[in-house]
Amino acid sequence: FIVVCSGTKEQERTLENLMTALSVLDKSSTLPRSETAEFFPSWEVLPHENRLPHPDVISDRLSVLMSAVNDKTRLPVVASLHSVLQKTLSPQWLKSQLKEIKIGDEIDPLDLIEWLENKGYQSEVQISSKGQVAMRGGIIDVFPVSMSWPVRIEFFGDEVESIRTFDPLNQLSKEKLDFVSISPG
């Protein structure tokens, strides 16, 4: 479900209250568990301004949209009236632009790099922020705009051998993944 608030301040308060209520419900064994609620921000730029929204705003909006498109979670969404009235990507278009990669997939790493660059990712030697991609040997590091952590995809030839999130500061692995869904940059 979606909770629409009149403004950003009310949206932030409602999100905090909803998360508190969900944490209380989670402690009850008779009610279904919820992880959290999602925040759907407004663009925070006016239509006549010739600039992009902050990358975190783009990331937060895209993350909520990807959850809806992938139907992975049924988390409540808290939005302001302004954020739901602003144009966004259609679910069909967004779904057609996603790149799902699973362990065992056969993908040419150079084709994946080309796809990422065509979708707006910036090629770097080492990634440090969202929307960047780097390749070293049989390893591709990509920081999807819709994710909190970058992803390391290891190849054995053209076969995806492993996928895991990692910390870009110390390069240490965080969590192994079976698949990753990469959105446009």
Side-chain angles (χ1 to χ4, degrees), residues 26-45:
D26 282 349
K27 293 177 182 163
S28 168
S29 61
T30 61
L31 295 171
R33 291 184 57 85
S34 288
E35 293 175 29
T36 185
E38 295 188 284
F39 185 85
F40 192 65
S42 67
W43 284 122
E44 297 179 357
V45 292

Side-chain angles (χ1 to χ4, degrees), residues 5-6 42-46 61 80-86:
C5 304
S6 62
S42 67
W43 284 122
E44 297 179 357
V45 292
L46 297 172
R61 285 180 67 93
S80 68
L81 183 59
H82 196 242
S83 65
V84 295
L85 290 176
Q86 292 171 327

Side-chain angles (χ1 to χ4, degrees), residues 112-172:
L112 178 58
I113 291 289
E114 183 180 348
W115 183 88
L116 290 164
E117 288 175 345
N118 287 337
K119 296 299 178 189
Y121 286 82
Q122 298 296 314
S123 192
E124 300 289 337
V125 174
Q126 184 174 340
I127 64 172
S128 59
S129 61
K130 292 181 180 196
Q132 295 180 337
V133 62
M135 182 175 185
R136 291 181 317 282
I139 297 173
I140 293 178
D141 291 342
V142 60
F143 204 148
V145 178
S146 60
M147 293 181 69
S148 302
W149 295 101
V151 176
R152 178 163 289 150
I153 304 167
E154 290 189 46
F155 291 86
F156 183 74
D158 287 350
E159 183 180 344
V160 176
E161 193 171 54
S162 75
I163 304 170
R164 62 185 183 274
T165 58
F166 68 97
D167 186 329
L169 296 177
N170 59 23
Q171 300 291 307
L172 294 176

Side-chain angles (χ1 to χ4, degrees), residues 49-123:
E49 293 178 324
N50 192 20
R51 63 185 178 100
L52 288 173
H54 192 276
D56 289 341
V57 171
I58 295 171
S59 174
D60 290 346
R61 285 180 67 93
L62 194 54
S63 178
V64 171
L65 293 172
M66 285 200 41
S67 291
V69 165
N70 288 332
D71 203 26
K72 299 277 189 247
T73 59
R74 298 269 186 200
L75 300 177
V77 175
V78 180
S80 68
L81 183 59
H82 196 242
S83 65
V84 295
L85 290 176
Q86 292 171 327
K87 289 188 178 209
T88 191
L89 306 170
S90 76
Q92 296 82 8
W93 185 87
L94 183 57
K95 200 167 199 168
S96 74
Q97 299 300 307
L98 297 178
K99 182 78 161 178
E100 293 236 344
I101 301 171
K102 299 182 292 261
I103 293 176
D105 282 353
E106 292 282 330
I107 303 170
D108 182 335
L110 294 176
D111 288 346
L112 178 58
I113 291 289
E114 183 180 348
W115 183 88
L116 290 164
E117 288 175 345
N118 287 337
K119 296 299 178 189
Y121 286 82
Q122 298 296 314
S123 192

